[in-house]
Amino acid sequence: MKTINKFLFVILSALLFAGCTDDLNTAPEGGTMTADQKKAAIEKNPSLLAADVAAMNANMIAYCGVLGSGYHDDFGYASTCLKMDCNGSDMTCANIGYNWFRASASYEDRVYTSTSTTYMWNLYYKLIASANLVIGSVDLSTTNATLKGYLGQALAIRAFDYMNLAQTHQFTYLGHETLVCVPIVTEKTTTQEIVNNPRATVAEVYKLIMSDLNTSISLLKGFTRTDKGYVNQAVAYGLRARADLLMGKYAEAAVDADSALVISGATPYTKAMVSAPAFWNAADNTVIWANIITDNNDIVTSGIVNMPSHLCSFFTDGYVGVGVWKKINQPLFDKISSTDVRKGWWLDANKQSPLVADASFDEWRKIASADGSFGAYTNVKFGADNDNLSKLVPAQDWFLMRAEEMILIKAEGLAMSGKPGEAKTYLESFIQTNRDANYVCPASSATGIQDEIWYQRRVELWGEGFSYFDIMRLKKPVTRVENGVSSFPDAQKFNIVAEAPILLWRIPKAEIEANDGISEEQNNPIADTPKPSL
Amino acid sequence: MRKLTFLLACLLLVSVGLVNAQSKSISGKVVSADDGQPIIGASITVKGISKGTISGKDGGFSISVPSSSNTLVVSYIGMKPIEVVAKDGMVVELKSSSSELGEVMVVAFGTTTKKSFTGSASVVKAKDIEKRQSSNITNSLAGQVSGVQGMSSNGQPGTGSSIRIRGIGSFSASNAPLYVVDGVPYDADISAINNADVESVTVLKDAASNALYGARGANGVIMITTKRGKTKEAQINVDAKWGSNSRAIPSYNVMTDPGMYYETFYRALYNSQSASGSAAAHAYANKNLFDASQGGLGYQVYSVPNGQRVIGTNFKLNPNATLGYTKDGFTYLADNWYNELFNANNLRQEYNVNISGSNDNLTYFASVGSLDDTGIISNSDFSRLSTRANVDYQAKKWLKVGTNMSYSQTNSRYPGEQTTTTSSGNLFFLTSNIAPIYPLYNRDANGNIMVDRNGYTVYDYGDGKVSPAKRPFMSQSNPASDLALNTSNYVSDFFIGKWYAAAELFTGFKLTANLGITTAGVRYNATSNPFYGQYAASGGNVSVTQSRYASTNTQYLATYKKSFNEHNFDFLAGFESYNYKMSDLSGYKQKIFQSNVAELNNAIVLPSTSSSTSYYKTMGALAQVKYDYNSKYYASASFRRDGSSCFAPENRWGNFWSVGGAWDINKESFMGIDQINLLKLKVSYGAQGNDKLYYAGTTTINLYPYIDQFDVSENNGTFAAARSYKGNKDITWETSYNFNAGVDFSMFHERLNGTIEGFSRKTVDMLYYKPSPASGGYTESAMNVGSVRNAGFEFDLHYDVIKLRSLTWNVYANATLLKNKIIALDPSLKGQWIDGNYIYKEGESMYNFYIRKYAGVDATNGSALWYKDVKDASGKVTGQETTTSWSLATQYEMGDILPKVYGGFGTSLEAYGFDVSVAFAYQLGGRVYDSSYARLMHSGNASNAGQNWSTDILNAWTPENTNTDVPRVNSSDINTNSVSDRFLVSSDYLSLQNINLGYSLPSKLLKKVKITKVRIYGVADNVGLISFRKGLDPRQSYTTSNASLYTPIRSISGGVSITF
């Protein structure tokens, strides 16, 4: 009897315990999501497939998505724009430890183990990978309108990223077609090919860019996007206009830029609109394509790891508030006509600008002035989110393409394709109507107009990530000191001749280590950082 | 689960008092020879047939003795087992013995004695644990036993050390050992366990010891066993100690004289322009010295007569300069931040009370402890209230049930950022690096420290917001003020419970079920103040996080002991499953109403919330057989098959095993040497697994490395699902093959005890992230590839130099010699993998720097020089030259940097009631990158403006001082102190870990007041450290030392311990 009791106890216990065990299949809830979970969710709700497309946009504004947390310059595409602008001759900033873009101003960012070099490579290729995921999941011959839209967007975004890579890692297309550029990774590239993938030539990369854009333009015909964060046919035309310009196809550039304007219906900011701080709202009619950033995005909630923190003078809670005010270089400021509304985009030598003369800016001026580095030539171009100075949220949208750029491309395209007269009239009409009533284009030759347009681009697109691309495309020197005048910090007062090797970004060491197709010798050459001359 | 608890509770309640009597037996009693008290729970077996019973009420037992054998073996934990002739009515006296040989030790799924143990394990006993005053038991292990290293990169009270057992076996996976508390795997915070409750810590080092935890035992196992009742009479221990904390590691030798700093910085500015001529360079330096936006310092703290320079063209401070400079209603004075902030004597107090004993068939241990450790900086204190109840009950002759339950509550004010190297919130970083010219406080025109309307001291943030001055270094930052005004608080509850029932169905055959439950809830509340600093403009902010950790572990074990003549068998088979769940919920808002209320409803704008849950499960079947022949030859074999949820179903299961053997030579007839008490050879080999792959570059475990992972985020109102991790479905267990051979010995009447072992641990199928070209869209891919070997020797020696009744003197020493070597990497890497400043190369150590070589100073101009390979046209290296360009210099392999040997030694002396002990730890033969020193040897570049210098910079090159290896200061040099072997220094250290000094009152005196023991003592921890350079702490990591981390705490306390 006793033994039976014992066994009964054991069996009973075992049954109870058995209820506690389970199989080993687990899945995360929140935080991360596995591919299986994603697939299951999309099967239940096919419209979620759009999340893959939106991922391409999300990756452009990801919080610490490339370098990891702790890198406060890791906030997406806008960060590369700031790096490139700080390389140039038009944007200055105090030489202090809080300036995350200091290494770009001094060209220390060209050390190929630096995080900047890594960023300029890894970010673009990460964006390409997200585009490739979409491209690979849609059949090119699809007739489904939604899927055609997805594919068209992904192709355009891939072209955009290769265009950025091509312009930063090799000299511009014209005259350098046969030089090595960057490795090409498409949706067809296998994991074996990735680890042995040599640098394609400039011509090959541009061939892919053009082919992607051509296909994209035909796929996106009639495609309606949900918001300006997505690519539509106008954006694809605009991107092709940029590529045309790079490849010297000027007539095509003018046509494509015009298509972008017509299809998007975008019109330039009026004089009134830019007589106040602006450039924060993608809904503005000037915007063709933008990174739309909402309050609860990680880069916004991070507080300081975002574009406004480093660029917008009104976001005093960020890095600007501790002295990294982004300023225009004095020689360029001095060139701007006093009747040009854009003169007010920067404080003058007396720290004044009509844009912030209003009493509503008094409180801001008080806060800003408390910072010793605040002062002359500080930009007031980029406004506070919702123009709200009392509730500072760093959620300003980041413009990727706007009407003014297309207008200037069209003007340049016309000038360079044998229609300088038409170009001059077109440019004057735009500037007179929208920026400076007294404007007269000082040049009439094709290249003279091209140079004038370069000046207009430097002013109009200041801080928006175009200055370095223009220096490279137009084979211009970096001129920070003009006739002894410069507002760069002393240690960064240097000029660089056109197409100097230091201008090229290098391929990161980690890529060379892991990619058998590229050797140390095949990297862009090491160049000494420029030395200041007083 | 509720059912289960209920059932066991019933068993506890109902079955009390039911004891079956044996009819045909002899009876006896077990008592302690020390105090004559009965011992409950002693094991009594008939020799040779492993048939036995347990002493019960009053130490009494009865056992049936067959005619074939008449010898009983009586044993009890902590007592010397003895063999006695069975006699009815016998009284067996057990002596508590200093002998370790027969002492019961805790091993995987059971106990053994040191004598019969075939594996490799080290035990740290309560006696030694009690000597240390640490808030986390992992900090008590360094130097105590061989094979164990503790790395501590955070001294915040309550935080522990990273324990590494016999080296490093993984690249990208965890190298942490598995913690097992009272037989149950434990993943919660170790600081939840009160050190005073711990009976022993057993470190299992070889395959034979930890194969039964095979699945997760690749990096060794640390078994923490809590105390149980031992005596019949209730014993009450009270221990109280009070002491003070101070910073254990001093600062580097840095400048403290403001004038010296200005002079040096002036020279750096001058040197940057010296090419433009002396006059221009002086003008430049004078103009920019105080201009923070031009790479200058921002603050002037000297007054000079009108029109005079602060620093003259002779590079010297103006002799007319006086300290203190008043401008715009503010006075600028330099403060010594270090002295201001670290001089406080912070209190540490700890109280422990426990009661233990036994009654009828019940043994019990109950404790309550209270600890309050205030750390060494304000608002960084840790307090813990802990309770424990351990109960074992012999419910039936055949059924024993028991429970260990502990509940503890910790409250940790844990300021963030104190280990984030360059964070503006890190007090340690700032005090280590701020130039001696900056004020800590804002002072008014009269030089008085300002106080605001709230009564808060107005600290200087260097951001121009109070006074107009701006610091180039860490402007808008003042960690002292942040620590005073911000809050950061973790309140945690830990419940750790274990229940078991063991049924002996027939003689020698036992079934045991164990259930372990651990639950931890942590609530984190933090505010950033709305008055000063970074978040003042946005009105302050609040964050709250609630997380919950829960794990359950179930084990079913069947054991069977059988003896035939001299052949003794011990079988074990079992099943174990482990479930882990971790959830958290957090919220954040800005703009707070009440500055001190860290709750979300106290704030109004920019809310953000998140929550997530993750799971982890393992399951395994295990079997073991142990055999011995006449306690002379031992053999054991074990096998375990385990599945982990971390791997894809088809790659989930791994097989782990071990074999071991031992030979007690002393038992052989040819030995019989009186002076030798034990001479045992042992050898073992086996395989264990590791499934804990981290996310690349982090220490967060990737629970799903086999599958692509996506982050879902909002993109203007729609979903975006971006891939965050590229999975590899083939990922499976990393396996360590562990060989161990050694000898355990005991000589001279057990006065010299020791172990010498050789080991080789080879990790194969390593879980690691193979670097992948970023052009593919991801920078690494998880793989099982490559192997690493850790091989070495270790010894542990204890010698009782004097062993008299009233005088004992013991010395001990241990050492581990270790060599780490990469055996193989992924073939595609062609033998080496360079990862930034590290190189991983087949045949070399995993810890191998790949950095530039410093070539000294160019005597003509003071530039730093580095070596560079000269290559011919074909790229072949033909020679070496020096270069002034750091970027162009070649990176070289630096060789193994790991210490060749590490360990500890110490001594203890007891005489006439007095006792004293000291413990040291050391390591030798390694190197470490002294990153803090590198930072303190900067060139005066704008990015370093306002950062302090080591006084070694005074030896920098100048035209007058050309024979030096310290380059010139020059504010346009950017790479002077960049990473090179110039800062790779010896990591040798000797640390005085602990001193104990006590006096026990004579027991004669105490007997009158019915007190067993009173000991009055003093204790000091982290007493001193000798390392290559003052300020350098090589115990933080294998690779770098960094003075920007919360430093270890030196605690000096006095206390009293009373036993009733």
Side-chain angles (χ1 to χ4, degrees), chain A residues 145 148-149 215-224 232-233 237:
Chain A
K148 276 168 80 178
T215 314
S216 171
I217 285 169
S218 74
L219 285 167
L220 291 175
K221 188 170 170 20
F223 168 74
T224 315
N232 65 0
Q233 200 190 24
Y237 272 116

Side-chain angles (χ1 to χ4, degrees), chain B residues 1-20:
Chain B
M1 298 314 288
R2 183 178 299 162
K3 274 184 195 161
L4 180 67
T5 314
F6 179 68
L7 176 67
L8 286 174
C10 285
L11 284 169
L12 282 172
L13 293 173
V14 179
S15 317
V16 176
L18 300 177
V19 181
N20 289 317

Side-chain angles (χ1 to χ4, degrees), chain A residues 391-409:
Chain A
K391 183 185 166 191
L392 292 175
V393 181
Q396 287 93 316
D397 298 329
W398 182 245
F399 298 179
L400 299 168
M401 186 183 288
R402 59 189 175 97
E404 290 84 344
E405 186 210 348
M406 290 299 124
I407 290 167
L408 292 169
I409 290 178

Side-chain angles (χ1 to χ4, degrees), chain B residues 243-533:
Chain B
S244 81
N245 290 332
S246 59
R247 192 175 152 149
I249 306 294
S251 110
Y252 284 75
N253 285 322
V254 291
M255 288 186 184
T256 51
D257 174 9
M260 184 191 286
Y261 188 84
Y262 281 124
E263 287 170 1
T264 313
F265 203 84
Y266 179 92
R267 191 182 282 276
L269 292 170
Y270 172 90
N271 283 349
S272 74
Q273 301 301 328
S274 56
S276 318
S278 172
H282 276 300
Y284 174 85
N286 194 48
K287 168 178 159 266
N288 288 339
L289 183 61
F290 300 111
D291 187 346
S293 65
Q294 292 285 1
L297 298 172
Y299 277 67
Q300 180 175 345
V301 297
Y302 282 104
S303 299
V304 287
N306 264 344
Q308 291 190 15
R309 303 158 60 106
V310 175
I311 305 296
T313 51
N314 60 354
F315 302 104
K316 291 284 171 211
L317 183 69
N318 187 331
N320 300 322
T322 52
L323 209 50
Y325 175 70
T326 305
K327 198 185 175 194
D328 307 329
F330 296 95
T331 301
Y332 300 99
L333 254 181
D335 287 310
N336 185 324
W337 290 43
Y338 188 94
N339 290 347
E340 291 287 323
L341 298 167
F342 290 115
N343 267 351
N345 278 323
N346 290 304
L347 186 69
R348 184 186 194 281
Q349 44 186 330
E350 185 172 0
Y351 308 93
N352 283 298
V353 179
N354 68 54
I355 177 162
S356 64
S358 52
N359 208 339
D360 297 335
N361 296 321
L362 190 89
T363 69
Y364 59 90
F365 171 89
S367 75
V368 57
S370 163
L371 166 72
D372 191 8
D373 188 333
T374 57
I376 47 172
I377 58 173
S378 50
N379 288 327
S380 71
D381 51 270
F382 175 80
S383 66
R384 176 177 65 209
L385 269 177
S386 58
T387 63
R388 169 174 294 278
N390 290 356
V391 180
D392 303 287
Y393 183 60
Q394 191 74 38
K396 305 259 186 193
K397 210 58 184 175
W398 55 273
L399 178 66
K400 189 173 179 184
V401 295
T403 172
N404 293 6
M405 284 189 282
S406 82
Y407 171 73
S408 61
Q409 212 177 55
T410 65
N411 193 339
S412 175
R413 287 200 289 176
Y414 191 148
E417 311 287 306
Q418 301 311 311
T419 55
T420 311
T421 303
T422 55
S423 166
S424 59
N426 184 338
L427 184 69
F428 293 87
F429 174 65
L430 253 83
T431 52
S432 303
N433 290 287
I434 196 160
I437 58 169
Y438 296 111
L440 179 60
Y441 311 103
N442 270 301
R443 292 180 171 84
D444 62 20
N446 302 320
N448 299 318
I449 292 172
M450 292 163 63
V451 175
D452 72 7
R453 49 194 295 278
N454 296 319
Y456 298 139
T457 301
V458 183
Y459 289 90
D460 188 302
Y461 275 80
D463 60 354
K465 298 240 156 74
V466 176
S467 73
K470 280 197 63 175
R471 253 189 260 135
F473 175 61
M474 291 287 147
S475 144
Q476 208 184 66
S477 154
N478 190 310
S481 176
D482 284 353
L483 287 173
L485 298 178
N486 298 346
T487 63
S488 175
N489 202 46
Y490 292 85
V491 177
S492 315
D493 301 286
F494 297 92
F495 174 80
I496 307 159
K498 181 204 167 180
W499 294 264
Y500 74 90
E504 187 164 23
L505 296 189
F506 51 86
T507 307
F509 183 74
K510 201 155 88 175
L511 291 177
T512 306
N514 292 316
L515 169 68
I517 300 178
T518 301
T519 302
V522 181
R523 189 174 161 96
Y524 168 71
N525 293 70
T527 54
S528 295
N529 80 84
F531 304 115
Y532 301 102

Side-chain angles (χ1 to χ4, degrees), chain A residues 207-435:
Chain A
K207 193 178 156 211
L208 174 72
I209 292 169
M210 272 305 181
S211 141
D212 281 353
L213 288 174
N214 294 339
T215 314
S216 171
I217 285 169
S218 74
L219 285 167
L220 291 175
K221 188 170 170 20
F223 168 74
T224 315
R225 60 184 176 181
T226 19
D227 63 53
K228 288 182 188 172
Y230 295 88
V231 169
N232 65 0
Q233 200 190 24
V235 175
Y237 272 116
L239 292 173
R240 198 168 72 182
R242 287 179 187 171
D244 292 336
L245 215 50
L246 282 158
M247 297 174 80
K249 297 155 85 174
Y250 297 109
E252 292 89 334
V255 173
D256 282 341
D258 193 63
S259 300
L261 285 166
V262 171
I263 294 168
S264 66
T267 53
Y269 271 133
T270 64
K271 227 181 270 181
M273 283 166 151
V274 290
S275 300
F279 302 96
W280 57 266
N281 189 359
D284 292 343
N285 198 43
T286 180
V287 176
I288 299 172
W289 187 31
N291 290 144
I292 296 180
I293 297 162
T294 46
D295 286 9
N296 52 358
N297 191 290
D298 287 346
I299 57 173
V300 178
T301 56
S302 77
I304 53 174
V305 187
N306 47 54
M307 175 281 290
S309 169
H310 298 275
L311 179 63
C312 169
S313 302
F314 301 101
F315 186 66
T316 45
D317 287 357
Y319 277 99
V320 291
V322 286
V324 301
W325 312 94
K326 297 293 181 292
K327 304 174 183 184
I328 191 171
N329 193 15
Q330 192 191 339
L332 180 61
F333 181 79
D334 290 346
K335 274 195 199 98
I336 304 170
S337 158
S338 55
T339 54
D340 190 329
V341 66
R342 292 174 297 192
K343 190 109 181 164
W345 289 1
W346 301 274
L347 302 183
D348 64 16
N350 302 315
K351 303 187 198 179
Q352 300 304 317
S353 157
L355 265 67
V356 290
D358 190 274
S360 65
F361 290 97
D362 287 355
E363 184 60 24
W364 164 75
R365 194 178 278 279
K366 211 172 91 191
I367 295 167
S369 300
D371 183 277
S373 316
F374 174 77
Y377 313 116
T378 297
N379 91 79
V380 290
K381 172 183 176 182
F382 297 96
D385 198 42
N386 294 315
D387 284 331
N388 189 343
L389 288 171
S390 60
K391 183 185 166 191
L392 292 175
V393 181
Q396 287 93 316
D397 298 329
W398 182 245
F399 298 179
L400 299 168
M401 186 183 288
R402 59 189 175 97
E404 290 84 344
E405 186 210 348
M406 290 299 124
I407 290 167
L408 292 169
I409 290 178
K410 185 178 167 185
E412 189 176 344
L414 290 172
M416 297 297 289
S417 60
K419 299 175 183 166
E422 200 179 318
K424 186 172 155 78
T425 318
Y426 181 66
L427 177 65
E428 283 176 348
S429 146
F430 159 60
I431 301 289
Q432 285 163 12
T433 315
N434 296 283
R435 299 291 181 261

